[in-house]
Amino acid sequence: MPGNRRAVRSTPARTQARTRTRTHTRTSAALAAAAAVCLLAGACTGSGGGTAEDDPNAETTLTFWHGWSAPSEVEAIDANIDAFEKKHPNITVKVVKNVSDDKLNQALRAGGDKAPDVVSSFATDNVGRFCSARALADLKPFLAKSGIDPAKTFPKPMLEYTQYEGVRCTLPLLGDAYGLYYNKDAFEKAGITEPPRTFSEFDKAAEKLTRHKGDSYSQLGFMPNYHGYETTVEHYGAQFGVDWFGEDGKAANASDPGMKKLFQWQRGLVEKLGGFSKLERYRSSFGDEWGAKHPFHTGQVAMQLDGEWRGKMARDAGVDFEIGTAPLPVPDGETESYGKGYLSGTVIGIAQSSPKQNAAWELVRFLTTDTGAVVDFANAIHNVPSTLAAMKSPRLNKDPDYRTFVKIARHPESRHAPGSVNGAAFLLTLQDLGYDYESGREKNLDAGLEKADRQIDKDIAQAE
Amino acid sequence: MTTMHPGLRARRRRSLLRTAGFLSPWLIGFSVFFAYPLLATVYFSFMKYDGFTAPTWNGLENWSYVFRDYPFFWPALGNTLWLVAVMVTLRVAFGLGIGLLITKIKTGPGLFRTFFYLPYLAPPVAATMSFVFLLNPGTGPANTVLDFFGLPQPGWFKDADWSKPALTLLALWGIGDLMVIFMAALLDVPKDQYEAAELDGAGAFARFRWVTLPNIAPIVLFAVITGVIETMQYYTQPLVAGKVASGVIGGSGQQFEPGYPDESTLTVPQIVYNLGFQRFDTGSACVVSLVLFALAMAFTALLMRRGSGFLSAED
């Protein structure tokens, strides 16, 4: 299970003063709070001159920040660090767990003695910024030094989301693949024998599995709405082969046939299953995505688009039906690409400001390319391995559901949405269009997509 | 000009130094936490700055981006102004109402004070999460109760029309701070004025209008001004409510759509954060911070000026 839990800032403590002087203080505090963001950001620039001249065989201590927080996850990464320290007795690794991406961003901006040497992040969307701003060191010279050919080591989609415009500032450290979970018992009752392979088969299955009850449902085949947890534009987009940007780097969603098909298919399924309002009302009865009352666990939905973690979570929640897994369907007429899916995952890199980059590389190299380490970690935290060798390892978890997702990760046409200098802003713009289109607020899809493209270009121009 | 006696000059210098010495903690605080951040904010609002690479001059581009092209600025400003108008008014009215009731209670006033004050002590994140749970339109107890009485069941945090009223309910629940302030002010109103008013035949409303209100006017003004400033900085509750209600509280590489649902809970401080730390656009974040500051100053100045009529000389 990914652990991208963002830190929440608390409001400043409330003051209980009664005089005008104190009110003035409060006003000052308001100003200070508003301005502090800029002060903190402005006081320092993190792109210090990292050098790669340190001796990796010298006695040294590295600081490694990661975001995993669940006890089993922390235990697994600690086990890997122990194995590394045994292999490199001269390097001690100081591990800092449960680091949010926000904290990581600020540390990379700040640099300095307390900044980490090696960082891992769950937000693949931020790789564009980290690479373009050189907050993380380019790993190409290190890979060359160690004789590692990335193309032969890592799956292609994972290699893509770990670099930005030719700068490879991160490497994949385990991944997440997205596919279809289905309730086998519900399939049997509905007389469906095979998981759907095309979207029209999928729609038919979703309709067959849907049981209306008054103005709601006793069971919904699939929740297509964009707020339905993992049902996001980028997750659907991988199946429709959308390219997001043209060769000139400008947003090209309006002219992408896949994108248009995606929106039309999604909207069509919303209508087939009872319409937006009815689905939204039903969606509001869903439990938390990461809790035991997830609608797939409770039987409220019979099919779920999700990552490799859902199977284990569903079993842990004690579901009383048999679970099936398969790749998500593909558009009609594109069955040759069946098996692909959306990929994302954890990335790891070396802080540009670190004076111990060679030693840091040893740690990154071990965690990302040592087959034993990758397999152990993948098995322990139930994520998809991030090297081709680890994916073929006989020691890898043999659970067939898990293997479905490993296969999706290995599929050559699996993809991730591209990196961008402003993180996931472009995806959110498209997602906003998705809300407007599925609810009927936006009636003209072409105009909506063109408007979204203009907005995406403006946002990127502002960030570049 | 006559020359100053050396002894007098030395005395004046000492006095000046002494004054400066007494003022220095404030001066240091003012410079470090007020003047420098303000100047830095103004400076960075004209710079292209991602926080990693050195800032470069950007002219008015950040300003034009925020006002013209950034899609969340106007919705966030609209929401913040809505909250300032509705939430502050209701909080002051409700706080005053509860304060009045509690000062009148003869039996067990301590119990009631505790009862109304306790929610204020709940950490904002926990309180907000509880409210999202209680007001969950499908599974929460609030709608079950409404259903029982045959009343309509709003979508609360999952409905763009109801999310701000839901946040207002949460703010009213945590009214303890204002209640305490109003209670103290109400207890300070001289009893003889009430007695005189009663002798003149004033009813309950007349006593409130002509005795209570003039006496507590400075406190009402204080509550309104601090309420406006606090609401303009409203960040935690709408963020947590949006995140929890949308269900996107985790997910690999998944980004949260700010202001769920449909930007209805997006506030200005949230977009400062979104621009500065999620889009790496510190310059535009500074522009929004300055707008927020200017608005807070303008509201405060306006209220102080309007409210000055309420205040007597000794306030």
Side-chain angles (χ1 to χ4, degrees):
Chain A
M1 172 188 162
N4 185 9
R5 294 161 199 125
R6 288 166 198 283
V8 177
R9 299 189 319 171
S10 59
T11 47
R14 295 176 184 196
T15 321
Q16 292 177 0
R18 298 180 59 177
T19 64
R20 262 190 267 178
T21 322
R22 295 290 288 277
T23 309
H24 180 74
T25 314
R26 196 70 183 76
T27 317
S28 311
L31 167 72
V37 170
C38 298
L39 169 69
L40 289 172
C44 36
T45 48
S47 46
T51 55
E53 285 159 12
D54 61 302
D55 176 7
N57 298 314
E59 285 286 329
T60 189
T61 300
L62 292 174
T63 306
F64 169 42
W65 283 15
H66 68 74
W68 286 287
S69 58
S72 59
E73 295 168 340
V74 173
E75 212 174 285
I77 189 85
D78 284 347
N80 261 11
I81 296 294
D82 286 346
F84 170 76
E85 284 178 334
K86 273 197 192 103
K87 246 181 156 174
H88 297 265
N90 61 310
I91 302 176
T92 308
V93 183
K94 201 178 135 210
V95 182
V96 180
K97 63 176 181 175
N98 198 15
V99 178
S100 69
D101 281 353
D102 293 339
K103 197 174 168 189
L104 179 68
N105 290 344
Q106 291 177 43
L108 290 176
R109 285 176 172 202
D113 296 345
K114 301 270 163 59
D117 299 294
V118 176
V119 295
S120 78
S121 160
F122 299 128
T124 45
D125 299 316
N126 287 339
V127 170
R129 171 52 67 194
F130 290 152
C131 290
S132 65
R134 305 289 170 130
L136 297 176
D138 190 355
L139 300 177
K140 270 191 233 143
F142 295 100
L143 286 159
K145 181 182 79 171
S146 303
I148 298 169
D149 178 358
K152 287 182 183 156
T153 313
F154 303 100
K156 193 167 163 265
M158 289 186 176
L159 270 183
E160 277 164 16
Y161 70 65
T162 46
Q163 60 88 39
Y164 181 71
E165 291 186 346
V167 181
R168 163 154 306 290
C169 72
T170 63
L171 282 174
L173 174 59
L174 301 194
D176 295 314
Y178 291 77
L180 179 70
Y181 284 88
Y182 59 96
N183 182 328
K184 277 189 175 172
D185 295 7
F187 263 46
E188 207 177 299
K189 267 188 212 155
I192 307 166
T193 49
E194 289 285 316
R197 293 168 71 91
T198 64
F199 278 112
S200 39
E201 287 174 21
F202 183 76
D203 289 5
K204 275 185 203 126
E207 281 180 280
K208 268 191 189 172
L209 291 160
T210 297
R211 302 193 194 295
H212 298 267
K213 183 184 163 196
D215 62 349
S216 187
Y217 308 86
S218 59
Q219 177 180 283
L220 179 66
F222 180 72
M223 172 49 78
N225 287 15
Y226 281 118
H227 280 305
Y229 299 136
E230 302 292 339
T231 44
T232 62
V233 175
E234 68 266 35
H235 293 173
Y236 288 146
Q239 305 312 107
F240 284 87
V242 295
D243 286 325
W244 316 94
F245 293 97
E247 279 180 10
D248 56 357
K250 300 264 182 228
N253 299 293
S255 56
D256 190 313
M259 184 59 89
K260 203 167 168 188
K261 257 199 256 175
L262 182 171
F263 273 88
Q264 284 167 337
W265 161 75
Q266 187 266 353
R267 172 81 188 267
L269 186 55
V270 168
E271 294 306 325
K272 283 175 193 165
L273 295 179
F276 175 75
S277 305
K278 189 172 172 177
L279 286 167
E280 278 297 280
R281 269 200 309 279
Y282 188 58
R283 191 180 62 80
S284 68
S285 68
F286 288 0
D288 175 49
E289 181 175 11
W290 307 108
K293 299 274 183 210
H294 184 284
F296 181 68
H297 303 176
T298 55
Q300 285 168 287
V301 294
M303 295 191 287
Q304 181 71 34
L305 187 181
D306 226 321
E308 73 282 344
W309 55 82
R310 179 60 53 200
K312 185 172 183 294
M313 286 184 80
R315 277 192 293 274
D316 289 349
V319 298
D320 57 0
F321 55 85
E322 215 182 313
I323 297 167
T325 52
L328 262 189
V330 290
D332 297 11
E334 295 179 25
T335 41
E336 75 285 352
S337 67
Y338 179 72
K340 67 182 177 181
Y342 183 81
L343 297 188
S344 97
T346 307
V347 298
I348 188 166
I350 299 171
Q352 178 72 37
S353 57
S354 167
K356 307 164 191 166
Q357 292 187 0
N358 279 321
W361 167 246
E362 292 304 321
L363 176 62
V364 171
R365 182 166 74 138
F366 177 79
L367 291 176
T368 57
T369 64
D370 185 289
T371 304
V374 175
V375 170
D376 287 345
F377 197 29
N379 283 344
I381 71 168
H382 211 80
N383 273 22
V384 169
S386 43
T387 65
L388 297 167
M391 283 175 174
K392 288 177 205 146
S393 166
R395 287 205 301 116
L396 193 64
N397 185 347
K398 290 187 179 57
D399 170 18
D401 291 342
Y402 173 77
R403 286 299 177 126
T404 303
F405 292 87
V406 176
K407 273 189 210 153
I408 294 170
R410 287 174 65 178
H411 196 283
E413 286 188 48
S414 287
R415 58 170 72 193
H416 179 267
S420 164
V421 286
N422 57 1
F426 76 99
L427 294 173
L428 292 177
T429 303
L430 288 164
Q431 192 85 352
D432 278 344
L433 171 63
Y435 302 136
D436 287 347
Y437 188 60
E438 69 177 357
S439 62
R441 281 194 299 266
E442 174 63 74
K443 294 190 169 50
N444 187 334
L445 179 60
D446 289 316
L449 282 168
E450 278 162 23
K451 195 173 151 214
D453 280 349
R454 283 196 299 276
Q455 183 65 47
I456 290 167
D457 288 339
K458 276 182 205 165
D459 289 342
I460 287 177
Q462 173 63 21
E464 268 175 352
Chain B
M1 197 174 141
T2 51
T3 44
M4 202 182 277
H5 187 273
L8 186 62
R9 192 183 295 160
R11 213 161 46 235
R12 285 207 171 170
R13 198 183 300 125
R14 271 203 304 279
S15 153
L16 195 70
L17 278 174
R18 200 163 46 236
T19 313
F22 278 119
L23 274 176
S24 62
W26 181 84
L27 273 176
I28 293 168
F30 179 82
S31 314
V32 172
F33 295 112
F34 187 97
Y36 174 64
L38 180 60
L39 292 175
T41 309
V42 173
Y43 171 75
F44 283 112
S45 73
F46 297 106
M47 308 299 275
K48 182 173 269 298
Y49 184 41
D50 62 10
F52 296 107
T53 37
T56 52
W57 177 253
N58 203 17
L60 287 170
E61 270 182 43
N62 296 333
W63 292 82
S64 120
Y65 175 72
V66 166
F67 291 124
R68 268 200 0 223
D69 296 332
Y70 180 57
F72 300 127
F73 176 72
W74 294 108
L77 189 66
N79 290 334
T80 296
L81 293 179
W82 189 101
L83 290 166
V84 165
V86 178
M87 199 190 268
V88 175
T89 312
L90 288 180
R91 262 178 64 86
V92 170
F94 190 60
L96 183 57
I98 299 286
L100 272 170
L101 275 179
I102 283 186
T103 48
K104 299 267 188 292
I105 286 173
K106 297 278 186 297
T107 46
L111 191 73
F112 282 97
R113 282 177 207 180
T114 314
F115 178 72
F116 280 103
Y117 190 72
L118 270 182
Y120 175 66
L121 299 177
V125 174
T128 312
M129 288 177 81
S130 311
F131 256 68
V132 176
F133 166 76
L134 290 171
L135 298 179
N136 184 311
T139 55
N143 274 9
T144 313
V145 173
L146 290 174
D147 187 30
F148 180 78
F149 289 108
L151 294 166
Q153 299 146 62
W156 301 114
F157 289 109
K158 296 199 180 199
D159 180 341
D161 294 332
W162 279 94
S163 55
K164 282 192 287 288
L167 283 171
T168 309
L169 268 186
L170 170 64
L172 292 180
W173 177 72
I175 199 71
D177 55 337
L178 276 188
M179 178 202 72
V180 167
I181 294 170
F182 280 129
M183 232 170 54
L186 289 166
L187 292 171
D188 271 354
V189 179
K191 292 232 171 4
D192 51 352
Q193 290 187 14
Y194 286 118
E195 286 159 13
E198 259 178 75
L199 285 177
D200 287 344
F205 179 75
R207 283 201 302 275
F208 175 75
R209 172 68 188 88
W210 301 108
V211 178
T212 313
L213 212 51
N215 271 293
I216 63 164
I219 302 306
V220 174
L221 185 65
F222 164 79
V224 171
I225 290 175
T226 50
V228 166
I229 294 170
E230 248 171 42
T231 310
M232 296 202 100
Q233 296 175 50
Y234 201 47
Y235 178 87
T236 308
Q237 291 88 337
L239 179 84
V240 174
K243 263 192 173 183
V244 177
S246 76
V248 185
I249 50 168
S252 176
Q254 223 181 341
Q255 288 249 1
F256 167 63
E257 182 224 359
Y260 174 90
D262 300 329
E263 291 147 23
S264 63
T265 57
L266 192 66
T267 59
V268 177
Q270 280 189 71
I271 60 169
V272 172
Y273 191 77
N274 177 255
L275 283 166
F277 294 106
Q278 289 177 312
R279 295 191 174 208
F280 307 99
D281 185 358
T282 309
S284 300
C286 288
V287 171
V288 179
S289 301
L290 287 173
V291 172
L292 187 65
F293 170 65
L295 277 176
M297 286 292 279
F299 270 119
T300 310
L302 188 76
L303 287 167
M304 295 285 271
R305 186 172 263 237
R306 289 254 144 194
S308 60
F310 283 132
L311 310 177
S312 52
E314 62 270 26
D315 292 321

